[in-house]
Coordinates of all heavy atoms in Angstrom, one line a residue:
Chain L
R2 N 0.8 -1.2 0.0 CA 0.0 0.0 0.0 C 0.9 1.2 0.0 O 1.8 1.4 0.8 CB -0.9 0.0 1.2 CG -1.9 1.1 1.3 CD -2.7 1.0 2.5 NE -2.0 1.3 3.7 CZ -1.8 2.6 4.2 NH1 -2.5 3.6 3.6 NH2 -1.1 2.8 5.2
K3 N 0.6 2.2 -0.9 CA 1.4 3.4 -1.0 C 0.9 4.4 0.1 O -0.3 4.6 0.3 CB 1.2 4.0 -2.4 CG 2.3 5.0 -2.7 CD 2.2 5.5 -4.1 CE 3.3 6.4 -4.5 NZ 3.5 7.5 -3.5
S4 N 1.8 5.0 0.7 CA 1.5 6.0 1.8 C 0.9 7.3 1.1 O 1.4 7.6 0.0 CB 2.7 6.3 2.6 OG 2.3 7.4 3.5
T5 N 0.0 7.9 1.8 CA -0.5 9.2 1.3 C 0.3 10.4 1.8 O 0.1 11.5 1.4 CB -2.0 9.4 1.7 OG1 -2.0 9.3 3.1 CG2 -2.9 8.4 1.1
L6 N 1.3 10.1 2.6 CA 2.1 11.2 3.2 C 3.1 11.7 2.2 O 3.6 10.9 1.4 CB 2.8 10.7 4.4 CG 1.9 10.3 5.6 CD1 2.7 9.7 6.7 CD2 1.2 11.5 6.1
N7 N 3.3 13.0 2.2 CA 4.1 13.7 1.2 C 5.4 14.1 1.7 O 5.5 14.9 2.6 CB 3.3 14.9 0.7 CG 4.1 15.9 -0.1 OD1 5.1 15.5 -0.7 ND2 3.7 17.1 -0.2
P8 N 6.5 13.5 1.2 CA 7.8 13.8 1.7 C 8.3 15.2 1.4 O 9.3 15.7 2.0 CB 8.7 12.7 1.1 CG 8.0 12.3 -0.2 CD 6.5 12.5 0.1
N9 N 7.6 15.9 0.5 CA 8.0 17.3 0.2 C 7.1 18.3 1.0 O 7.2 19.5 0.7 CB 7.8 17.5 -1.3 CG 8.7 16.6 -2.1 OD1 9.9 16.6 -1.8 ND2 8.2 15.9 -3.1
A10 N 6.4 17.8 2.0 CA 5.6 18.7 2.8 C 6.5 19.8 3.4 O 7.6 19.5 3.7 CB 4.8 18.0 3.8
K11 N 5.9 20.9 3.7 CA 6.6 22.0 4.3 C 6.9 21.7 5.8 O 6.0 21.2 6.5 CB 5.8 23.3 4.2 CG 6.6 24.6 4.5 CD 5.9 25.8 4.0 CE 4.7 26.3 4.8 NZ 5.1 26.9 6.1
E12 N 8.1 22.0 6.2 CA 8.4 21.7 7.6 C 7.6 22.6 8.5 O 7.4 23.8 8.3 CB 9.9 22.0 7.8 CG 10.5 21.4 9.0 CD 12.0 21.2 9.0 OE1 12.5 20.9 7.9 OE2 12.6 21.4 10.0
F13 N 7.2 22.1 9.7 CA 6.4 22.9 10.6 C 7.4 23.5 11.6 O 8.3 22.9 12.2 CB 5.5 21.9 11.4 CG 4.7 22.7 12.5 CD1 3.7 23.5 12.2 CD2 5.1 22.5 13.8 CE1 3.0 24.1 13.2 CE2 4.4 23.2 14.8 CZ 3.4 24.0 14.5
N14 N 7.1 24.8 11.9 CA 7.9 25.5 12.9 C 7.1 25.9 14.1 O 6.2 26.7 14.0 CB 8.5 26.8 12.3 CG 9.5 26.5 11.2 OD1 10.5 25.8 11.4 ND2 9.3 27.0 10.0
P15 N 7.3 25.3 15.2 CA 6.5 25.6 16.4 C 6.8 27.0 16.9 O 7.9 27.5 16.8 CB 7.0 24.5 17.4 CG 8.3 24.1 17.0 CD 8.4 24.3 15.5
R16 N 5.8 27.7 17.4 CA 5.9 29.0 17.9 C 6.6 28.9 19.3 O 7.4 29.7 19.6 CB 4.6 29.7 18.1 CG 4.0 30.3 16.9 CD 2.8 31.1 17.2 NE 2.0 31.2 16.0 CZ 0.7 31.0 15.9 NH1 0.0 30.5 17.0 NH2 0.0 31.1 14.8
S17 N 6.1 28.0 20.0 CA 6.6 27.9 21.4 C 6.9 26.5 21.7 O 5.9 25.7 21.9 CB 5.6 28.4 22.4 OG 4.3 27.8 22.1
F18 N 8.1 26.1 21.8 CA 8.4 24.8 22.3 C 9.8 24.8 22.9 O 10.7 25.3 22.4 CB 8.5 23.8 21.1 CG 8.9 22.4 21.5 CD1 8.0 21.6 22.2 CD2 10.1 21.9 21.1 CE1 8.3 20.3 22.6 CE2 10.4 20.6 21.5 CZ 9.6 19.8 22.3
S19 N 9.8 24.3 24.2 CA 11.1 24.2 24.9 C 11.4 22.8 25.0 O 10.6 21.9 25.3 CB 11.0 24.9 26.2 OG 9.8 24.4 26.9
Q20 N 12.7 22.5 24.9 CA 13.2 21.2 25.0 C 12.9 20.6 26.4 O 13.2 21.3 27.4 CB 14.7 21.2 24.9 CG 15.2 21.5 23.5 CD 15.3 20.3 22.6 OE1 15.3 19.2 23.0 NE2 15.4 20.6 21.3
P21 N 12.3 19.4 26.5 CA 12.1 18.9 27.9 C 13.5 18.5 28.5 O 14.4 18.1 27.8 CB 11.3 17.6 27.6 CG 11.3 17.4 26.1 CD 11.9 18.6 25.4
K22 N 13.6 18.8 29.8 CA 14.9 18.6 30.4 C 15.1 17.1 30.6 O 14.2 16.3 30.9 CB 14.9 19.3 31.7 CG 14.9 20.8 31.6 CD 15.7 21.5 32.7 CE 15.7 23.0 32.4 NZ 14.5 23.5 33.0
Chain D
Q20 N -2.6 21.4 30.1 CA -3.1 22.0 28.8 C -4.4 21.2 28.4 O -4.4 20.0 28.4 CB -2.1 21.9 27.7 CG -2.3 22.8 26.6 CD -1.3 22.6 25.5 OE1 -0.7 21.6 25.3 NE2 -1.1 23.7 24.7
E21 N -5.4 22.0 28.1 CA -6.7 21.3 27.8 C -6.6 20.7 26.4 O -5.9 21.2 25.6 CB -7.9 22.3 27.9 CG -7.7 23.5 27.0 CD -8.8 24.5 27.1 OE1 -9.9 24.0 27.3 OE2 -8.5 25.7 27.1
P22 N -7.3 19.6 26.1 CA -7.3 19.0 24.8 C -7.9 19.9 23.8 O -8.8 20.7 24.0 CB -8.1 17.7 25.0 CG -8.7 17.8 26.3 CD -8.2 18.9 27.1
L23 N -7.3 19.8 22.6 CA -7.8 20.6 21.4 C -9.1 19.9 20.9 O -9.1 18.7 20.7 CB -6.7 20.6 20.4 CG -6.8 21.5 19.2 CD1 -6.8 23.0 19.6 CD2 -5.7 21.3 18.2
T24 N -10.1 20.7 20.8 CA -11.4 20.1 20.3 C -11.8 20.7 18.9 O -11.3 21.8 18.5 CB -12.5 20.5 21.3 OG1 -12.7 21.9 21.3 CG2 -12.2 20.0 22.7
A25 N -12.7 20.0 18.3 CA -13.2 20.5 17.0 C -13.8 21.9 17.1 O -13.6 22.7 16.2 CB -14.2 19.5 16.4
S26 N -14.5 22.2 18.2 CA -15.1 23.5 18.3 C -14.1 24.6 18.5 O -14.2 25.7 18.0 CB -16.2 23.5 19.4 OG -15.6 23.1 20.6
M27 N -13.0 24.3 19.2 CA -11.9 25.3 19.4 C -11.3 25.6 18.0 O -11.0 26.7 17.7 CB -10.8 24.7 20.3 CG -11.2 24.7 21.8 SD -10.1 23.7 22.7 CE -8.5 24.5 22.6
L28 N -11.1 24.5 17.2 CA -10.5 24.7 15.9 C -11.4 25.5 15.0 O -11.0 26.4 14.3 CB -10.3 23.3 15.2 CG -9.0 22.6 15.5 CD1 -9.0 21.4 14.5 CD2 -7.8 23.5 15.2
A29 N -12.7 25.2 15.1 CA -13.7 25.8 14.2 C -13.8 27.3 14.5 O -14.1 28.1 13.6 CB -15.1 25.2 14.3
A30 N -13.4 27.7 15.7 CA -13.5 29.1 16.1 C -12.3 29.9 15.5 O -12.3 31.1 15.5 CB -13.6 29.3 17.6
A31 N -11.3 29.2 15.1 CA -10.0 29.8 14.6 C -10.1 30.0 13.1 O -10.7 29.3 12.4 CB -8.8 29.0 15.0
P32 N -9.4 31.0 12.6 CA -9.2 31.2 11.1 C -8.6 29.9 10.5 O -7.8 29.3 11.1 CB -8.3 32.4 10.9 CG -8.1 33.0 12.3 CD -8.6 32.0 13.3
L33 N -8.9 29.6 9.2 CA -8.5 28.4 8.6 C -6.9 28.3 8.6 O -6.5 27.2 9.0 CB -8.9 28.5 7.1 CG -10.2 27.8 6.7 CD1 -10.4 27.9 5.2 CD2 -10.2 26.4 7.2
H34 N -6.2 29.3 8.3 CA -4.8 29.2 8.3 C -4.2 29.0 9.7 O -3.1 28.5 9.9 CB -4.1 30.4 7.7 CG -4.2 31.7 8.5 ND1 -5.4 32.5 8.4 CD2 -3.4 32.2 9.4 CE1 -5.2 33.5 9.2 NE2 -4.1 33.4 9.8
E35 N -5.0 29.4 10.7 CA -4.5 29.1 12.1 C -4.7 27.7 12.6 O -4.1 27.2 13.5 CB -5.3 30.1 13.1 CG -4.6 31.4 13.3 CD -3.3 31.3 14.0 OE1 -3.3 30.7 15.1 OE2 -2.3 31.8 13.5
Q36 N -5.7 27.0 11.9 CA -6.1 25.7 12.4 C -4.9 24.7 12.4 O -4.7 24.0 13.3 CB -7.3 25.2 11.7 CG -8.5 26.1 11.9 CD -9.7 25.6 11.1 OE1 -9.7 24.6 10.5 NE2 -10.8 26.4 11.3
K37 N -4.2 24.7 11.2 CA -3.1 23.8 11.1 C -2.0 24.1 12.1 O -1.4 23.2 12.7 CB -2.5 23.8 9.7 CG -3.4 23.2 8.6 CD -3.6 21.7 8.8 CE -4.5 21.1 7.7 NZ -4.8 19.7 7.9
Q38 N -1.8 25.4 12.3 CA -0.8 25.8 13.3 C -1.2 25.4 14.7 O -0.3 24.9 15.4 CB -0.6 27.4 13.3 CG 0.5 27.9 14.2 CD 1.9 27.7 13.6 OE1 2.1 27.6 12.4 NE2 2.9 27.5 14.5
M39 N -2.4 25.5 15.0 CA -2.9 25.1 16.4 C -2.7 23.6 16.6 O -2.2 23.1 17.6 CB -4.4 25.4 16.5 CG -4.7 26.8 16.8 SD -6.5 27.2 16.7 CE -7.0 26.4 18.2
I40 N -3.0 22.8 15.5 CA -2.8 21.3 15.6 C -1.3 21.0 15.7 O -0.9 20.2 16.5 CB -3.5 20.6 14.4 CG1 -5.0 20.9 14.4 CG2 -3.2 19.1 14.5 CD1 -5.7 20.3 13.2
G41 N -0.6 21.7 14.9 CA 0.9 21.5 14.8 C 1.5 21.7 16.2 O 2.4 21.0 16.6
E42 N 1.1 22.8 16.9 CA 1.6 23.1 18.2 C 1.4 21.9 19.2 O 2.2 21.7 20.1 CB 1.0 24.4 18.8 CG 1.3 25.6 18.0 CD 2.7 26.1 18.0 OE1 3.5 25.7 18.9 OE2 3.1 26.9 17.1
R43 N 0.3 21.2 19.0 CA 0.0 20.1 19.9 C 0.8 18.8 19.4 O 1.2 18.0 20.2 CB -1.5 19.7 19.9 CG -2.4 20.8 20.2 CD -2.1 21.3 21.7 NE -3.0 22.4 22.0 CZ -4.0 22.3 22.9 NH1 -4.2 21.2 23.5 NH2 -4.7 23.4 23.2
L44 N 0.9 18.7 18.1 CA 1.5 17.5 17.5 C 3.0 17.5 17.7 O 3.6 16.5 18.0 CB 1.1 17.5 16.0 CG 0.9 16.3 15.2 CD1 0.0 15.3 16.0 CD2 0.3 16.6 13.9
Y45 N 3.6 18.7 17.5 CA 5.1 18.8 17.5 C 5.8 18.2 18.7 O 6.7 17.4 18.5 CB 5.5 20.3 17.3 CG 7.0 20.4 17.1 CD1 7.6 20.3 15.8 CD2 7.8 20.7 18.2 CE1 8.9 20.4 15.7 CE2 9.2 20.8 18.0 CZ 9.7 20.7 16.8 OH 11.1 20.8 16.7
P46 N 5.3 18.5 19.9 CA 6.0 17.9 21.1 C 5.9 16.4 21.1 O 6.8 15.7 21.6 CB 5.3 18.6 22.3 CG 4.5 19.7 21.8 CD 4.3 19.5 20.3
L47 N 4.8 15.9 20.7 CA 4.6 14.4 20.7 C 5.5 13.8 19.7 O 6.1 12.7 19.9 CB 3.1 14.1 20.4 CG 2.0 14.7 21.3 CD1 0.6 14.4 20.8 CD2 2.2 14.1 22.7
V48 N 5.6 14.4 18.5 CA 6.5 13.9 17.5 C 7.9 14.0 18.0 O 8.8 13.1 17.8 CB 6.3 14.6 16.1 CG1 7.3 14.2 15.1 CG2 4.9 14.5 15.6
H49 N 8.2 15.1 18.6 CA 9.6 15.4 19.1 C 10.0 14.3 20.1 O 11.2 13.9 20.1 CB 9.7 16.7 19.7 CG 11.1 17.2 20.0 ND1 11.7 16.9 21.2 CD2 11.9 18.0 19.3 CE1 12.9 17.4 21.1 NE2 13.1 18.1 20.0
N50 N 9.1 13.8 20.9 CA 9.4 12.7 21.8 C 9.9 11.5 21.1 O 10.7 10.7 21.7 CB 8.2 12.3 22.6 CG 7.8 13.4 23.7 OD1 8.7 14.2 24.0 ND2 6.6 13.4 24.1
V51 N 9.4 11.2 19.9 CA 9.7 10.0 19.2 C 10.9 10.2 18.3 O 11.8 9.4 18.2 CB 8.5 9.5 18.4 CG1 8.8 8.2 17.7 CG2 7.3 9.4 19.2
H52 N 10.9 11.3 17.5 CA 12.0 11.6 16.6 C 12.4 13.1 16.7 O 11.9 13.9 15.9 CB 11.5 11.3 15.1 CG 11.5 9.9 14.7 ND1 12.7 9.3 14.4 CD2 10.6 9.0 14.7 CE1 12.5 8.0 14.1 NE2 11.2 7.8 14.3
S53 N 13.3 13.4 17.6 CA 13.6 14.8 17.8 C 14.2 15.4 16.6 O 14.0 16.6 16.3 CB 14.5 14.9 19.0 OG 15.6 14.1 18.9
Q54 N 15.0 14.7 15.9 CA 15.8 15.3 14.7 C 14.8 15.7 13.6 O 15.0 16.7 12.9 CB 16.8 14.2 14.1 CG 17.8 13.7 15.1 CD 18.8 14.8 15.6 OE1 19.1 15.6 14.8 NE2 19.1 14.7 16.8
L55 N 13.8 14.8 13.4 CA 12.9 15.0 12.2 C 11.6 15.6 12.6 O 10.6 15.7 11.8 CB 12.7 13.7 11.5 CG 13.9 13.0 10.9 CD1 13.6 11.6 10.4 CD2 14.3 13.8 9.6
A56 N 11.5 16.1 13.8 CA 10.1 16.5 14.3 C 9.4 17.6 13.4 O 8.2 17.4 13.1 CB 10.3 17.0 15.7
G57 N 10.2 18.6 13.0 CA 9.5 19.6 12.2 C 9.0 19.1 10.9 O 7.9 19.4 10.4
K58 N 9.9 18.3 10.2 CA 9.5 17.7 8.9 C 8.3 16.7 9.1 O 7.3 16.8 8.3 CB 10.7 17.0 8.4 CG 10.5 16.4 7.0 CD 10.4 17.6 6.0 CE 10.0 17.1 4.6 NZ 9.8 18.1 3.6
I59 N 8.4 15.8 10.0 CA 7.3 14.9 10.2 C 6.0 15.6 10.6 O 5.0 15.3 10.0 CB 7.7 13.9 11.4 CG1 8.9 13.0 10.9 CG2 6.5 13.0 11.7 CD1 9.4 12.1 12.1
T60 N 6.1 16.6 11.4 CA 4.9 17.3 11.8 C 4.3 18.0 10.6 O 3.1 17.9 10.3 CB 5.2 18.4 12.9 OG1 5.8 17.7 14.0 CG2 3.9 19.1 13.3
G61 N 5.1 18.6 9.7 CA 4.6 19.2 8.5 C 3.9 18.2 7.6 O 2.9 18.5 7.0
M62 N 4.5 17.0 7.5 CA 3.9 15.9 6.7 C 2.5 15.5 7.3 O 1.5 15.4 6.5 CB 4.8 14.7 6.6 CG 6.0 14.9 5.7 SD 7.2 13.6 5.9 CE 6.4 12.2 5.1
L63 N 2.5 15.3 8.6 CA 1.2 14.9 9.2 C 0.1 16.0 9.1 O -1.1 15.7 9.0 CB 1.4 14.6 10.7 CG 2.4 13.4 11.0 CD1 2.5 13.1 12.5 CD2 2.0 12.1 10.2
L64 N 0.5 17.3 9.0 CA -0.4 18.3 9.0 C -1.2 18.4 7.7 O -2.2 19.1 7.5 CB 0.2 19.7 9.3 CG 0.6 19.9 10.7 CD1 1.3 21.2 10.9 CD2 -0.7 20.0 11.6
E65 N -0.7 17.6 6.7 CA -1.5 17.6 5.4 C -2.7 16.7 5.5 O -3.5 16.6 4.6 CB -0.6 17.2 4.3 CG 0.5 18.2 4.0 CD 1.3 17.9 2.7 OE1 1.2 16.8 2.2 OE2 1.9 18.9 2.2
I66 N -2.8 15.9 6.6 CA -3.9 15.0 6.8 C -5.1 15.9 7.3 O -4.9 17.0 7.8 CB -3.6 14.0 7.9 CG1 -2.4 13.1 7.5 CG2 -4.8 13.2 8.3 CD1 -1.8 12.3 8.6
D67 N -6.3 15.4 7.0 CA -7.5 16.2 7.4 C -7.5 16.5 8.9 O -7.2 15.6 9.7 CB -8.8 15.3 7.1 CG -9.1 15.3 5.7 OD1 -8.6 16.1 4.9 OD2 -10.0 14.5 5.3
N68 N -8.0 17.7 9.2 CA -8.1 18.1 10.7 C -8.8 17.1 11.5 O -8.4 16.8 12.7 CB -8.7 19.5 10.8 CG -7.8 20.6 10.3 OD1 -6.7 20.3 9.9 ND2 -8.3 21.8 10.2
S69 N -9.9 16.6 11.0 CA -10.7 15.6 11.9 C -9.9 14.4 12.2 O -10.0 13.9 13.4 CB -12.0 15.3 11.1 OG -11.7 14.7 9.9
E70 N -9.1 13.9 11.3 CA -8.3 12.8 11.5 C -7.2 13.1 12.5 O -6.8 12.3 13.3 CB -7.8 12.2 10.2 CG -7.2 10.8 10.3 CD -6.8 10.2 9.0 OE1 -7.3 10.6 7.9 OE2 -5.9 9.4 9.0
L71 N -6.6 14.3 12.3 CA -5.5 14.8 13.2 C -6.0 14.9 14.6 O -5.3 14.5 15.5 CB -5.0 16.1 12.7 CG -4.2 16.0 11.4 CD1 -3.9 17.4 10.9 CD2 -2.8 15.3 11.6
L72 N -7.2 15.3 14.8 CA -7.8 15.4 16.2 C -7.9 14.1 16.8 O -7.5 13.9 18.0 CB -9.1 16.1 16.2 CG -9.1 17.6 16.0 CD1 -10.6 18.1 15.9 CD2 -8.4 18.3 17.1
L73 N -8.3 13.1 16.0 CA -8.4 11.7 16.5 C -7.0 11.2 16.9 O -6.8 10.5 17.9 CB -9.0 10.8 15.5 CG -10.5 11.0 15.2 CD1 -11.0 10.1 14.1 CD2 -11.3 10.8 16.4
M74 N -6.0 11.5 16.1 CA -4.6 11.1 16.3 C -4.1 11.7 17.6 O -3.3 11.0 18.3 CB -3.7 11.4 15.1 CG -3.9 10.4 14.0 SD -3.2 11.0 12.5 CE -1.6 11.5 13.0
L75 N -4.4 12.9 17.9 CA -4.0 13.6 19.1 C -4.5 12.8 20.3 O -3.9 12.8 21.4 CB -4.4 15.0 19.2 CG -3.6 16.0 18.3 CD1 -4.2 17.4 18.2 CD2 -2.1 16.1 18.8
E76 N -5.7 12.2 20.2 CA -6.3 11.5 21.3 C -5.8 10.0 21.4 O -6.1 9.3 22.3 CB -7.8 11.4 21.1 CG -8.5 12.8 21.0 CD -8.6 13.4 22.3 OE1 -9.2 12.8 23.2 OE2 -8.2 14.6 22.5
S77 N -5.2 9.6 20.3 CA -4.8 8.2 20.3 C -3.3 8.0 20.0 O -2.9 8.0 18.9 CB -5.6 7.5 19.2 OG -5.0 6.3 18.8
P78 N -2.5 7.9 21.1 CA -1.0 7.7 20.9 C -0.7 6.6 20.0 O 0.3 6.7 19.2 CB -0.6 7.4 22.3 CG -1.6 7.9 23.2 CD -2.9 7.8 22.5
E79 N -1.4 5.5 20.0 CA -1.1 4.4 19.1 C -1.2 4.7 17.6 O -0.3 4.4 16.8 CB -1.9 3.2 19.4 CG -1.5 2.4 20.6 CD -2.5 1.4 21.1 OE1 -3.3 0.9 20.2 OE2 -2.5 1.0 22.2
S80 N -2.3 5.4 17.2 CA -2.4 5.7 15.8 C -1.5 6.8 15.5 O -0.9 6.9 14.3 CB -3.9 6.1 15.5 OG -4.3 7.1 16.3
L81 N -1.2 7.7 16.4 CA -0.2 8.8 16.1 C 1.2 8.2 15.9 O 1.9 8.5 14.9 CB -0.1 9.8 17.3 CG 0.9 10.9 17.1 CD1 0.7 11.7 15.9 CD2 1.0 11.7 18.3
H82 N 1.6 7.2 16.7 CA 2.9 6.6 16.5 C 3.0 5.8 15.2 O 4.0 5.8 14.6 CB 3.2 5.7 17.7 CG 3.7 6.5 18.9 ND1 4.0 5.9 20.1 CD2 3.8 7.8 19.1 CE1 4.3 6.8 21.0 NE2 4.2 8.0 20.4
A83 N 1.9 5.2 14.9 CA 1.9 4.5 13.6 C 2.1 5.4 12.4 O 2.8 5.2 11.5 CB 0.6 3.7 13.4
K84 N 1.4 6.6 12.5 CA 1.6 7.6 11.4 C 3.0 8.2 11.4 O 3.6 8.5 10.3 CB 0.6 8.8 11.6 CG -0.7 8.5 10.9 CD -0.6 8.5 9.4 CE -2.0 8.2 8.8 NZ -1.9 7.7 7.4
I85 N 3.6 8.4 12.6 CA 4.9 8.9 12.7 C 5.9 7.9 12.0 O 6.7 8.3 11.2 CB 5.4 9.2 14.1 CG1 4.6 10.3 14.7 CG2 6.9 9.5 14.2 CD1 4.8 10.6 16.2
E86 N 5.7 6.7 12.3 CA 6.6 5.6 11.7 C 6.4 5.6 10.2 O 7.4 5.4 9.4 CB 6.3 4.3 12.3 CG 6.8 4.2 13.8 CD 8.2 4.6 14.0 OE1 9.1 4.3 13.2 OE2 8.4 5.3 15.0
E87 N 5.1 5.8 9.7 CA 4.9 5.8 8.3 C 5.6 7.0 7.7 O 6.2 6.9 6.6 CB 3.3 5.9 8.1 CG 2.9 5.8 6.6 CD 1.4 5.9 6.5 OE1 0.7 5.5 7.4 OE2 1.0 6.4 5.4
A88 N 5.5 8.1 8.3 CA 6.1 9.3 7.8 C 7.7 9.1 7.7 O 8.3 9.5 6.7 CB 5.8 10.6 8.6
V89 N 8.3 8.5 8.7 CA 9.7 8.3 8.7 C 10.1 7.4 7.5 O 11.0 7.6 6.8 CB 10.2 7.7 10.0 CG1 11.6 7.3 9.9 CG2 10.0 8.7 11.1
A90 N 9.3 6.3 7.3 CA 9.5 5.4 6.2 C 9.4 6.1 4.9 O 10.3 5.9 4.0 CB 8.5 4.2 6.3
V91 N 8.4 6.9 4.7 CA 8.2 7.7 3.4 C 9.4 8.6 3.2 O 10.0 8.7 2.1 CB 6.9 8.5 3.5 CG1 6.9 9.5 2.3 CG2 5.7 7.6 3.4
L92 N 9.9 9.3 4.3 CA 11.0 10.2 4.2 C 12.3 9.4 3.8 O 13.0 9.9 2.9 CB 11.3 10.9 5.5 CG 10.7 12.2 5.8 CD1 11.1 12.7 7.1 CD2 11.0 13.2 4.7
Q93 N 12.5 8.3 4.4 CA 13.7 7.5 4.1 C 13.7 7.0 2.7 O 14.7 7.0 2.0 CB 13.9 6.4 5.2 CG 14.3 6.9 6.5 CD 14.3 5.9 7.6 OE1 13.7 4.8 7.4 NE2 14.9 6.1 8.7
A94 N 12.5 6.5 2.3 CA 12.4 6.0 0.9 C 12.7 7.2 -0.1 O 13.3 7.0 -1.1 CB 11.0 5.4 0.7
H95 N 12.2 8.4 0.2 CA 12.3 9.5 -0.6 C 13.8 9.9 -0.7 O 14.3 10.2 -1.8 CB 11.5 10.7 -0.1 CG 11.6 11.9 -0.8 ND1 11.1 12.1 -2.1 CD2 12.2 13.1 -0.5 CE1 11.3 13.3 -2.5 NE2 12.0 14.0 -1.6
Q96 N 14.5 9.9 0.5 CA 15.9 10.3 0.5 C 16.8 9.3 -0.2 O 17.7 9.6 -0.9 CB 16.4 10.5 1.9 CG 15.9 11.8 2.5 CD 15.9 11.8 4.1 OE1 16.3 10.8 4.7 NE2 15.6 12.9 4.7
A97 N 16.3 8.0 -0.2 CA 17.1 7.0 -0.8 C 17.0 7.1 -2.3 O 18.0 6.7 -3.0 CB 16.6 5.6 -0.4
M98 N 16.0 7.7 -2.8 CA 15.8 7.9 -4.3 C 16.6 9.0 -4.8 O 16.9 9.1 -6.0 CB 14.3 8.1 -4.6 CG 13.5 6.9 -4.7 SD 11.9 7.2 -5.5 CE 11.3 8.6 -4.6
E99 N 17.0 9.9 -3.9 CA 17.7 11.1 -4.4 C 19.2 10.9 -4.6 O 19.8 10.1 -3.9 CB 17.5 12.3 -3.5 CG 16.1 12.8 -3.6 CD 15.8 14.0 -2.7 OE1 16.6 14.2 -1.7 OE2 14.9 14.8 -3.0

């Protein structure tokens, strides 16, 4: 089965995300 | 943080809806694949909002989609 996911999709940039310690 | 609901989404402008979902999705993806989190989240955000909301509620289906996205990315990179 072929995936419907697109490898050329635009990368998401989170507004607020802090690395968990 | 309260769960994201369809009515919260519906109250937001269209272009904001994907961003809102992405903000919830990104930390979960980051837990699994920190290096590829932005890319994987972007790929998942092309899925219908209703399905994305279900995935946020269901760690198992979310993880399955994350693995699918990684496989698609790796296959894509192998072709280049």
Side-chain angles (χ1 to χ4, degrees):
Chain L
R2 188 180 68 89
K3 197 174 183 312
S4 175
T5 54
L6 294 173
N7 168 22
N9 296 311
K11 193 160 80 73
E12 195 160 326
F13 176 78
N14 294 305
R16 276 186 202 132
S17 54
F18 177 69
S19 51
Q20 294 271 348
K22 292 212 177 84
Chain D
Q20 199 181 27
E21 57 183 320
L23 192 61
T24 62
S26 54
M27 285 163 66
L28 271 189
L33 268 183
H34 67 274
E35 270 293 305
Q36 295 180 4
K37 291 292 183 186
Q38 185 74 29
M39 287 170 71
I40 298 174
E42 298 290 342
R43 304 298 178 111
L44 214 46
Y45 184 87
L47 302 173
V48 177
H49 192 275
N50 286 339
V51 186
H52 279 283
S53 54
Q54 304 292 324
L55 294 170
K58 186 67 186 178
I59 295 172
T60 305
M62 288 169 71
L63 297 183
L64 283 175
E65 294 192 341
I66 299 170
D67 285 347
N68 287 354
S69 56
E70 195 178 334
L71 288 168
L72 285 177
L73 292 176
M74 279 164 50
L75 283 171
E76 302 283 307
S77 162
E79 281 171 23
S80 54
L81 176 60
H82 283 178
K84 271 294 176 199
I85 292 173
E86 293 308 320
E87 186 181 330
V89 171
V91 168
L92 266 185
Q93 286 173 345
H95 179 72
Q96 283 162 358
M98 278 195 307
E99 287 182 341

